[in-house]
Amino acid sequence: MGEFELIRRFFDRPVRRSPLGVGDDCALLAPQPGMQLAVSSDMLVEGRHFLSTVDPRRLGHKALAVNLSDLAACGARPLAFSLSLALPHADPHWLAPFAEGLFALAEAHDCELVGGDTTRGPLCIAITVYGEVPAGQALLRSGARAGDDLWVSGTLGDARLALEIFRGRAQATAEVFVAARARMEQPEPRVSLGQALRGVATSAIDVSDGLLGDLAHVLDRSGVGASVDAPSAAGLLAAARAGYTAPAPQILELVLAGGDDYELAFTAPPAARQSVEEAGARTGTPVTRIGRVEAEPGLRVLDANGGLVPRSFAGFDHFA
Amino acid sequence: MGEFELIRRFFDRPVRRSPLGVGDDCALLAPQPGMQLAVSSDMLVEGRHFLSTVDPRRLGHKALAVNLSDLAACGARPLAFSLSLALPHADPHWLAPFAEGLFALAEAHDCELVGGDTTRGPLCIAITVYGEVPAGQALLRSGARAGDDLWVSGTLGDARLALEIFRGRAQATAEVFVAARARMEQPEPRVSLGQALRGVATSAIDVSDGLLGDLAHVLDRSGVGASVDAPSAAGLLAAARAGYTAPAPQILELVLAGGDDYELAFTAPPAARQSVEEAGARTGTPVTRIGRVEAEPGLRVLDANGGLVPRSFAGFDHFA
């Protein structure tokens, strides 16, 4: 199977919305008048972002999911994506389920493949997603203000728990492991919630490298600090709700520094609490208030009595 | 040096035109009213698209050049690009010249870096470029019509000659080798010519996998055939003009199937000959008429007497 047959067989699907899709030198996108185009790129490398044993269907899903999660964090509506793929060999038994997982998620979000590149090389998946957002309404990292509440969607830490179980550093029941593994391998980007938070949230980011590390980017760009309530945060590990037990500091570390969560962390003024709850309810997304933005720089984790919880964990850094 | 310092140090430059650049979950682009957004992605893998010994400055140039070449083939004006980079390690002695070559070309085309991703992994460079083109005016592969002339810009085959010299399969003087190597390592995308050909050319493609292979895509999508004049084509190898000698069939193969040229191959009606020449002159780009589009399907190479030149060479295919 040659390069062009590979593309034709697995990746060339007609476009419904874009003026031009796969098969020319460029694809063409036509955002609606008044819209800005939001673009984001994420690259996944074997052994770094996924294990070589991963189900290709789940990998196809995840490769797009982590990109859609960036659109979600900006409040953008997905339009299309490009896929650049380096493959050690053209194996239909891998490509078919990979494409199936990829397109299932793409169709669920009405996000069409418009182009990309295919080459031989160590397995590497580079996706760029395109979305649209009304001009001036994108959720940015720079909008958090002292006094805002700090919120997160869904649950946190379960993907990292699955990784720790794979590494033999944690143990759990089969039920807990299966659920945590699904979180690691098939994250659900919070696309609807992101759009529902336009005009409500003051800032947003998607949690990919660990909540505290990602939050630090928001605080840095917004010129503020924040405190996180440890008891609220500790309740966010789904596995703990399902019976997984570990010392409290380990649970907290999974939640605050786990990474690979693809939930949204966002800020909103206290006056918007009801709007945030409604946005969550309307999109079927749990939302939890876990702290507040403060004028004092830095990021503090506080126990139930308002005392500082010592912490040593940091966000994920590919080169640290 | 961590991931975020690496980005800050080498890749975070202020944007002048885009509403939002590097540093948030998404970048924001705002094409002018009436414009469509042209997007294209190309991935370069070490050992496949470049040698590990390549000067990183030239590699930075080439990684963007091959993407700009796709915008050129659509007649789009460059706006911005995203860079996803997998690196074995964060080496400033490699990153500094890589960024220098990349940004020198970017600035020459007023194309700003707006985002991307950085991770550890086998060296792999995935770029997506964004350009704008007036709605309905993009040059497509599908517009060639029987009777059109077939044109190419610049010279062809020199990049492949350099590769053959590297592989020990060809020999040349130092002067010829240096020039051919520059063609391989620092192609100049025909961005101005592409834009000048809007409304003049009926179809266009950039020559990356070899002229005949790329031309076949145009013929396929346009539902036509073509014949190429071997004597006109043979004159396109710059090295031959500089004294490189080889049997005529080898010269012809370099030109017709070399690859890595990043010239434009395009079609235009005979009535537009003067307009094509003017577009070339205005943008300082040599243009050569090398054949014609015909109703009869297939691609024929003809000698000076109109006889068929037998050929065995094919375009480059990463999985063939």
Side-chain angles (χ1 to χ4, degrees), chain A residues 3 23-29 37-40 42-43 49 70 74 117 119-120 128 141 206 317-319, chain B residues 3 23-29 37-40 42-43 49 70 74 117 119-120 128 141 206 317-319:
Chain A
E3 180 180 356
D24 216 295
D25 291 88
C26 292
L28 294 174
L29 305 176
L37 203 87
V39 301
S40 186
D42 265 310
M43 180 182 258
H49 299 92
D70 286 311
C74 281
D117 195 13
T119 182
R120 198 185 285 269
T128 299
R141 296 182 179 177
D206 82 314
D317 184 319
H318 284 289
F319 291 98
Chain B
E3 179 181 356
D24 216 295
D25 291 88
C26 292
L28 294 174
L29 305 177
L37 203 88
V39 301
S40 186
D42 265 310
M43 181 182 256
H49 300 91
D70 286 311
C74 281
D117 194 14
T119 183
R120 197 186 286 267
T128 298
R141 296 182 179 178
D206 81 316
D317 184 319
H318 284 288
F319 292 97

Side-chain angles (χ1 to χ4, degrees), chain B residues 5-312:
Chain B
E5 191 200 334
L6 186 162
I7 294 169
R8 199 159 42 237
R9 201 163 143 194
F10 296 105
F11 299 112
D12 188 358
R13 304 206 171 181
V15 286
R16 294 178 306 271
R17 188 166 43 191
S18 305
L20 186 67
V22 171
D24 216 295
D25 291 88
C26 292
L28 294 174
L29 305 177
Q32 297 297 307
M35 292 289 186
Q36 291 178 334
L37 203 88
V39 301
S40 186
S41 303
D42 265 310
M43 181 182 256
L44 273 65
V45 174
E46 182 177 296
R48 193 87 195 155
H49 300 91
F50 56 91
L51 306 171
S52 62
T53 52
V54 69
D55 174 358
R57 190 174 285 98
R58 290 185 165 203
L59 182 59
H61 172 103
K62 182 167 180 174
L64 182 58
V66 302
N67 278 281
L68 289 174
S69 181
D70 286 311
L71 289 185
C74 281
R77 187 170 75 98
L79 291 176
F81 69 106
S82 301
L83 168 68
S84 291
L85 196 54
L87 294 169
H89 39 253
D91 174 9
H93 299 294
W94 188 91
L95 283 160
F98 175 82
E100 200 177 293
L102 181 80
F103 284 116
L105 184 67
E107 278 154 28
H109 292 281
D110 201 14
C111 184
E112 58 193 12
L113 179 65
V114 292
D117 194 14
T118 315
T119 183
R120 197 186 286 267
L123 184 54
C124 178
I125 307 161
I127 286 182
T128 298
V129 281
Y130 317 107
E132 62 179 13
V133 61
Q137 291 187 36
L139 300 174
L140 306 184
R141 296 182 179 178
S142 53
R145 297 292 168 258
D148 283 354
D149 295 323
L150 177 60
W151 298 80
V152 293
S153 66
T155 57
L156 291 175
D158 295 281
R160 179 59 177 268
L161 174 61
L163 183 63
E164 296 301 315
I165 294 170
F166 268 113
R167 287 171 166 170
R169 294 190 201 151
Q171 290 187 317
T173 63
E175 189 195 356
V176 163
F177 174 59
V178 166
R181 181 178 184 172
R183 277 302 304 268
M184 179 175 80
E185 294 180 348
Q186 289 197 288
E188 284 302 330
R190 299 301 194 179
V191 173
S192 306
L193 178 65
Q195 292 171 76
L197 289 174
R198 287 198 313 244
V200 176
T202 50
S203 76
I205 191 168
D206 81 316
V207 182
S208 55
D209 296 338
L211 177 66
L212 294 189
D214 289 319
L215 204 49
H217 297 306
V218 170
L219 304 183
D220 181 45
R221 292 183 79 93
S222 298
V224 292
S227 63
V228 172
D229 299 322
S232 311
L236 291 172
L237 186 74
R241 302 175 192 176
Y244 173 75
T245 55
Q250 284 172 31
I251 299 275
L252 193 61
E253 178 158 3
L254 285 172
V255 168
L256 296 182
D260 240 7
D261 299 297
Y262 305 103
E263 295 292 353
L264 298 185
F266 56 97
T267 58
R273 280 180 194 171
Q274 198 182 333
S275 303
V276 170
E277 299 279 4
E278 282 170 5
R282 204 161 66 241
T283 60
T285 319
V287 288
T288 307
R289 195 149 46 84
I290 60 157
R292 68 212 64 78
V293 179
E294 294 163 345
E296 188 190 343
L299 188 43
R300 293 157 288 280
V301 180
L302 305 180
D303 64 24
N305 302 316
L308 270 182
V309 176
R311 57 190 178 86
S312 58

